[in-house]
Amino acid sequence: MSQKFQEIIDSERPVLIDFFATWCQPCKVQSSVLNTVKENVGEKARIIKIDIDQYPAIASQYNVRGVPTLAVFKKGELLYKESGVHDVNRLTQVLEQFM
């Protein structure tokens, strides 16, 4: 997965990574918010979900200490990272500044 992950974050368009866990209630709330964000940004950005229990090495590599943690990458560079549930407007603004 780490090679595939690297290919994903090396993208020319921004990639929002949602680090989540299946047992996490706030992550479920964040997931529904992300569906609306995806509608807002369309093909200008990509949204990927990474289960920290399935891919602990990736979570560790980016110091994900709590879930949900959202990170934005572009051309392999980490541009934004914050934990907690974000609202639609905030996430749409974050992505738009990197498009």
Side-chain angles (χ1 to χ4, degrees):
M1 172 67 175
S2 60
Q3 179 61 35
K4 177 74 174 149
F5 183 78
Q6 193 61 48
E7 290 171 19
I8 291 168
I9 66 172
D10 282 344
S11 172
E12 290 287 322
R13 64 182 170 156
V15 181
L16 172 65
I17 307 292
D18 173 21
F19 291 98
F20 78 102
T22 55
W23 45 263
C24 165
Q25 246 355 85
C27 296
K28 292 175 180 153
V29 172
Q30 188 64 75
S31 185
S32 65
V33 168
L34 289 174
N35 291 334
T36 306
V37 172
K38 179 67 184 153
E39 291 171 13
N40 290 349
V41 298
E43 294 300 312
K44 295 181 201 143
R46 194 167 174 194
I47 298 175
I48 306 289
K49 296 172 70 62
I50 301 284
D51 186 334
I52 63 162
D53 292 327
Q54 282 189 309
Y55 302 103
I58 295 173
S60 176
Q61 181 180 353
Y62 293 100
N63 291 326
V64 174
R65 301 278 180 243
V67 285
T69 293
L70 300 170
V72 177
F73 293 87
K74 186 174 181 178
K75 299 179 187 171
E77 186 181 348
L78 176 62
L79 302 172
Y80 174 88
K81 184 179 119 186
E82 199 170 300
S83 295
V85 176
H86 292 58
D87 67 45
V88 171
N89 294 333
R90 171 81 178 122
L91 282 179
T92 301
Q93 286 173 349
V94 166
L95 283 172
E96 284 175 345
Q97 74 186 13
F98 299 120
M99 287 191 231

